[in-house]
Amino acid sequence: MVNLSLYSIKAVILLDAEGNRVLAKYYDKEHTTLKQQKQFEKGLFDKTKRAQGEVILYDNQVVLYRSNIDIFFYVVGSMEENELILLSMLNAFYDAVSTLLRYQVEKRSIMDNLDLVILCLDETVDGGIILETDSNAIVSRVSKPRMDMVDIPFSEQTLLQAYQTAKDKFANQLLR
């Protein structure tokens, strides 16, 4: 019989094109020291840097990954975990990060907005439990409204503020 548990994520890792850590959160007791984590990440990167798949079995764990320009997103789960659940979490996290970074998912933009990426991860996974798989819900929780235009009535805004407000509202309508 399969052990059913809400704790489905063992780790979420972001590595750059050279295999260096950009962001890593481990939720299990397996990789407790930094040395063990770096060794796991190095082996994982070496196995996936040229591969074109989405799913691999590495170190008796299911790993789903996605790469973009110069960054690799990894989600690690146990061997018994459903890959579709892990994939939905990975896609939600990636899509939310992509939306927050205005579709420029690369190492530089992630490093510049690391606080948003970490908040995004925290809204997606908490302690290994998947909280949300809807990227729009994640984005709405992480992004904050612009305080300089929230309380100003449209008729009292300057021309530049009115233009920016209209542009933001139009962009939001297009993204829906």
Side-chain angles (χ1 to χ4, degrees):
M1 182 165 163
V2 177
N3 184 12
L4 297 177
S5 173
L6 290 175
Y7 298 96
S8 54
I9 306 295
K10 288 189 168 192
V12 177
I13 305 166
L14 273 67
L15 302 177
D16 66 7
E18 288 85 39
N20 299 318
R21 179 189 289 191
V22 175
L23 171 65
K25 277 204 168 185
Y26 288 85
Y27 301 107
D28 67 343
K29 307 285 188 254
E30 198 168 316
H31 305 288
T32 55
T33 67
L34 184 62
K35 183 179 179 183
Q36 290 174 329
Q37 292 174 0
K38 293 281 190 178
Q39 184 179 9
F40 178 77
E41 292 166 12
K42 182 184 182 316
L44 186 62
F45 180 75
D46 289 341
K47 188 161 183 166
T48 60
K49 65 183 172 186
R50 290 191 182 95
Q52 294 297 322
E54 288 183 334
V55 181
I56 63 167
L57 189 62
Y58 178 72
D59 197 21
N60 290 326
Q61 298 173 351
V62 175
V63 179
L64 277 84
Y65 64 97
R66 187 171 179 172
S67 63
N68 191 23
I69 302 174
D70 61 350
I71 196 93
F72 288 82
F73 287 73
Y74 296 95
V75 174
V76 182
S78 69
M79 194 126 138
E80 297 84 24
E81 194 56 54
N82 186 339
E83 293 88 2
L84 293 175
I85 292 173
L86 298 177
L87 181 63
S88 67
M89 180 265 149
L90 176 63
N91 286 338
F93 177 60
Y94 179 85
D95 292 344
V97 168
S98 179
T99 302
L100 288 169
L101 299 180
R102 301 182 196 271
Y103 305 102
Q104 297 195 2
V105 183
E106 53 191 32
K107 181 182 177 184
R108 183 169 182 253
S109 61
I110 287 177
M111 294 303 286
D112 290 344
N113 297 291
L114 193 59
D115 57 340
L116 289 177
V117 176
I118 292 171
L119 278 173
C120 193
L121 179 58
D122 288 343
E123 288 294 330
T124 309
V125 179
D126 183 32
I129 299 172
I130 298 173
L131 298 176
E132 186 66 67
T133 57
D134 180 16
S135 60
N136 292 328
I138 297 166
V139 169
S140 68
R141 288 188 193 126
V142 171
S143 63
K144 53 189 176 289
R146 295 184 50 174
M147 296 309 293
D148 59 345
M149 290 184 218
V150 171
D151 297 330
I152 304 172
F154 194 71
S155 61
E156 295 179 16
Q157 293 180 4
T158 65
L159 187 58
L160 184 61
Q161 288 174 327
Y163 171 73
Q164 187 65 38
T165 302
K167 184 173 124 183
D168 289 344
K169 287 185 180 185
F170 182 70
N172 285 338
Q173 290 297 325
L174 285 177
L175 291 175
R176 287 186 185 181

